[in-house]
Amino acid sequence: MVILTPGPTEIPNEVLASMLKSVNPDLDQGFFNLYNELAGSIKKMINHDGSIYVMSGEGMLGLEAAIANTVKRDDKVLSISNGVFGESFADLARGYGAQVTTVNGPYDEPVDASKMPDLRNYRAVTFVYVETPAGLINPIGDVAKVVKQSDALFIVDAVSAVGGVPVDCKSLGVDICLMASQKAFSSTPGLAIVAVSDRAKAEMKRVNYGGYYMNINKWDENLGKGMFPYTPSANDILALKTAIDMIYAEGLESVYRRHEESRNATISALKSMGIVPFVKDIKYAAPTVTAFYSPLDPMLLLDFTWKKLGVMLAGSWGPLAGKVMRIGHMGYTARKDFVIQAIAALAAAMNNYGSRVDIESAVRAANREFSSPA
Ligand SMILES: Cc1ncc(COP(=O)(O)O)c(C=O)c1O
């Protein structure tokens, strides 16, 4: 059985093994030190100079924490909304009473930063770097340039990017960078990772969010005293620490190369099978997930690959549900053997329902894109 979806992903055995330990994160100073080391590794990976908070809850918690701590009723927020998560971010901000303006665009094209309004008086800009449901990577540099000319906070959902795609928060001026353990880190689901710049923290003091669980001011008060605001999900944190150590042991360059090659291989193989990728321009096709128009009813194909072959692929969400399928090549699964399993399983499923896909050619097309043997 293998999970080749865009998060949660397959989890390496070393990561799973490392969480099998009894630990009291509230009383063990060693655990607090490990947490700080983990935070340091994440900061380095995204070149961020603020603070890292690893919260118990999945990715959406991070998005909500970012809004809850920075936005007050009637604050102006610009949401880049050319995808399912971009739209969710806008809804979230509306839920907290913000006056939200959106920049929309087709889900299969990079957002056009020239459509962004004058950001004077805007409190924040929300942006999704990799739109997982569409397999789209948005042009963060273009958007960053516009945000930098203003005082607005730049809040970036990098949930499906960090660990598979370089993210340089300092040079892009990213104030809040949001990540999740089960995506390209290939760790267990259950942790939201929130990086917050000093500038954003100053805003948070002003906003003075009244809640407790996601309250960054409360986190700071507690971390400053060498403790957590509540008992953290210690075993998930142990797993994430191992997952990130493994990324560094391999080297970031190698990790990013594997992701690009996996994207290229998946797209080449799909094209050789007559399948049309959802994002037309490969420059904007995410290195962590490939979305494509399903050649047959996705439910039939997904059911066959999982129940008959033990290979889990994914459908999609929102307006793409029922039309688009996805292969995750994210974190640990961004490598040749997994990409080939995904392609072979999809081809076999199609052939089961009457297509005549040449599986060998598809696998050869994928193979050609890899420089490394494994
Ligand atoms: C881009 C993006 N943002 C946010 C989320 C929310 O993460 P979670 O499902 O862990 O809450 C996801 C999940 O797929 C995602 O792909």
Side-chain angles (χ1 to χ4, degrees), residues 6-7 57-61 63 85 128-133 157-160 180 182-183 190-191 317 326:
E58 23 55 57
M60 220 57 207
L61 174 71
L63 272 65
F85 284 100
V128 179
Y129 192 12
V130 170
E131 273 288 357
T132 330
D157 171 344
V159 162
S160 282
Q182 82 278 20
K183 298 286 184 172
L191 299 175
W317 302 110
R326 294 174 300 161

Side-chain angles (χ1 to χ4, degrees), residues 212-264:
Y212 189 86
Y213 196 75
M214 297 178 288
N215 189 324
I216 299 285
N217 295 334
K218 294 257 185 290
W219 267 83
D220 273 341
E221 272 169 36
N222 283 277
L223 292 179
K225 292 186 219 148
M227 57 198 263
F228 298 103
Y230 41 81
T231 307
S233 298
N235 300 72
D236 287 324
I237 288 176
L238 293 176
L240 182 61
K241 170 80 169 56
T242 306
I244 288 179
D245 287 350
M246 284 174 71
I247 292 176
Y248 277 109
E250 179 182 345
L252 292 177
E253 236 176 74
S254 161
V255 169
Y256 298 147
R257 187 178 340 107
R258 275 199 286 113
H259 282 81
E260 291 205 346
E261 288 179 357
S262 298
R263 183 251 335 258
N264 297 347

Side-chain angles (χ1 to χ4, degrees), residues 248-327:
Y248 277 109
E250 179 182 345
L252 292 177
E253 236 176 74
S254 161
V255 169
Y256 298 147
R257 187 178 340 107
R258 275 199 286 113
H259 282 81
E260 291 205 346
E261 288 179 357
S262 298
R263 183 251 335 258
N264 297 347
T266 305
I267 290 176
S268 293
L270 292 174
K271 285 186 172 168
S272 91
M273 292 158 69
I275 294 175
V276 182
F278 183 67
V279 175
K280 304 296 171 305
D281 184 346
I282 196 164
K283 196 168 147 208
Y284 299 107
T288 45
V289 47
T290 296
F292 51 94
Y293 287 99
S294 186
L296 299 166
D297 178 354
M299 288 321 292
L300 286 179
L301 297 175
L302 294 171
D303 211 51
F304 186 90
T305 63
W306 182 233
K307 295 203 178 129
K308 302 281 184 203
L309 306 175
V311 176
M312 187 181 281
L313 306 179
S316 194
W317 302 110
L320 310 184
K323 287 185 237 166
V324 166
M325 282 180 68
R326 294 174 300 161
I327 292 174

